[in-house]
Amino acid sequence: MALAGHIMYWNPKDESLKPLVMQIYRTFISIGFSCRGCLLDALSTLDAMSLLNPSSGILPAMTADNSVSDAERRAEILRTLQDERSLDKSSLYHLDSAVDLDTAASASSFDLPSVLKGNERMRRRSELSRVKAPAVETIELAPLPPIEERAHEQASVGHATGISGEPSLGKVAGGDPELAPPLSYVPSTITEDTSSAVGVISHAQRAKYRLNSRIQFAALCYCFFLEGWNDGSTGPLLPRIQRNYGIGFAIVSLLFVTNCIGFLSGAMMNVYLNHKFGFGKVLVIGSIFQLAAYVLLAPGGPFPIMCVAFSFAGFGIALQNAQANGFVGSLKEHARTKFGFLHASYGLGALVAPLVATYFSTARHWSFHYLISACIAVSNTIVLSAVFRFKTQDDVMAEAGQAAEEPVTSDNLYHQIMRLKEVHYLAIFSLIYVGVEVSIGGWIVTFIEQERGGGASAGYISSGFFGGLMLGRIILMWLNRKIGERWVIVLYALIVIGLEVTVWVVPSLFENAIAVSFIGLLMGPMYPILMNHSTYILPKWLLTGCLGYIAGVGQAGSAVLPFITGLLSSKFGIASLQPFIVSMMSTMIVLWALVPKKRRIE
């Protein structure tokens, strides 16, 4: 047959040979079919001879003796062969078997009933080899939809079996997989959840998110500008307040005491107000309290009214400071850089305010300086209301393209925050830092006037200090990353201590002014680093409350330490300012060493 195939495909060049080739091809085909018939007859004969064995059980009427004649034996054999060949060949293929699902599978012993034994099984196998397997209909399964895996689901899909109640292949009765019932296709009941899928953000949508984020951050920077304006105004006006009311250091320091009460009240109420009203409303409430304080201060009324006004200002600033720091600390992108610019805005306000306050300190209506403060406070309230629209922090962040954080379900937030020792270390560090910052900015003018013989223009030294504070929070970012934020605070603190010693012992107005400016430059990055490090070591679900508490306690330091400075000055003179600052900076280094490097609670 193979030779016939080669002859068929052979194409001779001589056309006259083609009839001869075709005749040879037909001859070989005939010979092949004849050989095939002979082989089939030989196999049938062998099958018949195998039936002659009396132990096979096929011919029960026959016995081992020769009581039956040869003719009758041959007739019985022929009848048996005819009966066997007349069987329905399709009945030999049981579709109930798992083997039948594979159309490429050949006939094998798996297709035979288990009751066949001995030679009969062998005969059936030889007969099956000559039977062509019937075509089995192919079952096309519909494509299953893709299953979207969610981040919060940790259950394995492989455990989901027997969805439709059909028995699996390995769990049929008897343990024989070939006797399993036919498998039926059941459509999958698992559908794709397209509602939770995050769509591709278009370029226009991304640009809108970026614009919203910048507007929100600019509003918070303006809020911090007013806070710096408030702290920078007190120092140049302090000598004029003493002269106007005829009071000494101890009495005038009551302004810082009432301011401290306001800061502490705001820090403690921030968690409750944030949980009850939300981010946007608390910001506006704080701005309204700050505006009310400037309205009370502008007429220049009695000194007790000034104390009440300072408490209102402290309460409002504490709320705004806590919310702004918590918001920036919750950002997932560029939080470190934004902390630097946020607190640089504070330095900018503290830089500009002494320039204006110094002019009003010699004017007839010195309290009109707070009219300017009130105008800025009005604009601040309008900006915060328009940008954040009294929304919660999650809603505001969603407008900037950031997903909402997991909500805190516990009601006892104060208990959770107060149990963290890291919060108290950071809060005390913040209290001392802000206290030192405001003490230098507030009392340095009095120190220069009384100890170095400076005039009314000494108020510009306070501007130099806050100007250095603003620049340090921006231009020293690269150095903070290069050295490491943890060690760079220790380095800055040691240098500041050295510069404070020079202001203490060197009786030079020019040198003291330059040293104070460099002190502000080096102290500038400390507070943003403190807030940024807090985001790494504090639990995420308590971050806003913790940062609010730290910032509120820190703002209380802007009243506590200046008040202590006033008490020391009333007893030992204003020259006690510098040794007090040196001791506080040394305490800051010890506290920073106690702050953990990594998060203790996830």
Side-chain angles (χ1 to χ4, degrees):
M1 295 290 289
L3 182 59
H6 287 293
I7 293 174
M8 180 180 179
Y9 288 101
W10 178 53
N11 187 16
K13 297 181 179 180
D14 190 355
E15 295 293 334
S16 61
L17 295 178
K18 287 187 176 181
L20 179 61
V21 171
M22 294 302 298
Q23 184 64 31
I24 295 173
Y25 167 72
R26 294 190 187 97
T27 303
F28 275 105
I29 291 295
S30 300
I31 294 172
F33 278 107
S34 299
C35 294
R36 181 176 178 273
C38 294
L39 290 174
L40 292 176
D41 293 339
L43 291 173
S44 300
T45 304
L46 290 175
D47 288 340
M49 293 177 63
S50 65
L51 295 176
L52 296 178
N53 187 4
S55 63
S56 61
I58 303 299
L59 299 176
M62 299 181 182
T63 57
D65 56 1
N66 294 328
S67 61
V68 181
S69 62
D70 293 338
E72 293 176 351
R73 188 183 297 276
R74 285 194 297 270
E76 185 68 21
I77 291 173
L78 290 176
R79 283 194 299 271
T80 305
L81 290 175
Q82 290 175 358
D83 294 337
E84 294 293 336
R85 291 186 179 182
S86 63
L87 292 175
D88 187 6
K89 302 301 188 296
S90 62
S91 64
L92 298 176
Y93 294 88
H94 301 281
L95 293 179
D96 291 343
S97 175
V99 177
D100 297 328
L101 294 177
D102 188 2
T103 59
S106 61
S108 63
S109 62
F110 288 93
D111 302 310
L112 298 176
S114 60
V115 297
L116 298 181
K117 299 181 181 180
N119 293 332
E120 186 176 359
R121 179 183 289 271
M122 296 175 60
R123 182 176 56 79
R124 290 286 182 91
R125 184 184 295 113
S126 63
E127 191 169 352
L128 287 175
S129 64
R130 300 192 300 271
V131 179
K132 183 178 180 180
V136 181
E137 183 181 359
T138 303
I139 301 176
E140 295 184 1
L141 299 180
L144 293 176
I147 301 174
E148 181 181 358
E149 296 182 358
R150 299 181 181 179
H152 64 276
E153 293 180 353
Q154 299 179 357
S156 174
V157 179
H159 293 167
T161 57
I163 298 177
S164 61
E166 295 289 342
S168 60
L169 186 62
K171 296 183 179 181
V172 296
D176 188 0
E178 296 184 12
L179 300 179
L183 298 177
S184 60
Y185 171 69
V186 180
S188 175
T189 59
I190 303 176
T191 58
E192 182 180 4
D193 186 9
T194 57
S195 62
S196 63
V198 180
V200 179
I201 301 177
S202 63
H203 179 73
Q205 188 67 27
R206 187 179 294 108
K208 182 180 179 180
Y209 286 156
R210 189 182 300 112
L211 178 62
N212 291 338
S213 177
R214 290 176 179 175
I215 292 175
Q216 294 166 4
F217 182 69
L220 295 179
C221 288
Y222 188 65
C223 170
F224 263 63
F225 173 84
L226 181 56
E227 180 183 336
W229 174 280
N230 177 86
D231 292 344
S233 301
T234 307
L237 292 177
L238 206 57
R240 177 62 186 269
I241 293 174
Q242 287 181 273
R243 292 194 300 267
N244 185 73
Y245 293 102
I247 54 180
F249 291 113
I251 301 300
V252 78
S253 297
L254 291 177
L255 295 175
F256 299 109
V257 173
T258 54
N259 201 14
C260 175
I261 294 174
F263 280 129
L264 289 177
S265 301
M268 299 305 297
M269 290 294 295
N270 171 70
V271 179
Y272 170 77
L273 293 175
N274 182 67
H275 187 68
K276 185 174 181 61
F277 298 109
F279 171 76
K281 293 180 181 179
V282 176
L283 274 177
V284 175
I285 291 173
S287 66
I288 291 175
F289 269 91
Q290 191 173 5
L291 173 60
Y294 298 143
V295 171
L296 293 176
L297 289 172
F303 185 75
I305 298 297
M306 290 193 66
C307 293
V308 174
F310 267 70
S311 65
F312 283 1
F315 184 83
I317 290 174
L319 292 180
Q320 297 175 80
N321 191 291
Q323 294 296 319
N325 280 291
F327 182 87
V328 176
S330 300
L331 296 177
K332 296 180 179 179
E333 295 182 357
H334 313 296
R336 178 187 291 108
T337 303
K338 289 185 176 181
F339 264 128
F341 281 98
L342 180 69
H343 293 282
S345 302
Y346 171 90
L348 179 62
L351 167 66
V352 177
L355 302 178
V356 181
T358 300
Y359 168 78
F360 279 99
S361 64
T362 57
R364 178 179 178 183
H365 300 285
W366 60 271
S367 61
F368 284 3
H369 169 79
Y370 291 104
L371 287 177
I372 301 176
S373 302
C375 293
I376 300 175
V378 169
S379 61
N380 179 54
T381 304
I382 294 174
V383 168
L384 294 178
S385 302
V387 172
F388 300 108
R389 300 190 298 278
F390 310 102
K391 294 184 177 181
T392 63
Q393 180 170 308
D394 291 340
D395 294 337
V396 172
M397 287 188 170
E399 294 179 353
Q402 179 169 320
E405 298 290 340
E406 183 178 355
V408 182
T409 58
S410 177
D411 295 331
N412 197 0
L413 298 179
Y414 288 103
H415 180 66
Q416 296 185 45
I417 293 174
M418 294 304 169
R419 287 182 60 186
L420 298 174
K421 62 180 181 179
E422 296 92 338
V423 173
H424 300 293
Y425 291 147
L426 294 169
I428 297 174
F429 183 92
S430 176
L431 183 145
I432 295 177
Y433 169 83
V434 177
V436 169
E437 173 187 292
V438 177
S439 296
I440 296 176
W443 288 105
I444 192 65
V445 177
T446 305
F447 176 83
I448 294 297
E449 286 182 354
Q450 296 187 8
E451 297 293 326
R452 301 295 182 253
S457 59
Y460 296 115
I461 296 180
S462 179
S463 295
F465 171 77
F466 287 112
L469 199 78
M470 178 192 66
L471 291 177
R473 291 173 175 175
I474 298 176
I475 66 176
L476 293 180
M477 287 184 181
W478 66 274
L479 185 60
N480 302 337
R481 297 191 184 100
K482 188 175 183 63
I483 298 178
E485 293 184 341
R486 185 167 184 86
W487 290 105
V488 79
I489 285 188
V490 179
L491 176 63
Y492 291 160
L494 293 175
I495 298 176
V496 167
I497 290 175
L499 291 174
E500 281 292 340
V501 171
T502 62
V503 176
W504 182 6
V505 298
V506 177
S508 172
L509 177 61
F510 180 76
E511 190 277 337
N512 291 168
I514 297 297
V516 168
S517 299
F518 275 98
I519 289 172
L521 180 71
L522 296 174
M523 288 187 65
M526 292 185 181
Y527 196 78
I529 290 175
L530 169 71
M531 288 296 174
N532 185 62
H533 186 69
S534 300
T535 62
Y536 291 127
I537 67 174
L538 295 176
K540 292 296 183 182
W541 71 89
L542 296 174
L543 187 59
T544 301
C546 290
L547 291 182
Y549 174 75
I550 293 170
V553 174
Q555 290 301 316
S558 66
V560 173
L561 266 66
F563 173 70
I564 296 176
T565 302
L567 294 179
L568 294 174
S569 299
S570 63
K571 186 174 183 179
F572 303 105
I574 194 61
S576 61
L577 172 65
Q578 304 309 323
F580 178 68
I581 297 298
V582 170
S583 63
M584 290 296 99
M585 292 299 299
S586 303
T587 306
M588 283 174 54
I589 296 176
V590 176
L591 285 173
W592 187 247
L594 298 177
V595 174
K597 297 180 181 179
K598 299 180 181 179
R599 182 179 288 119
R600 183 172 57 90
I601 300 177
E602 294 295 336

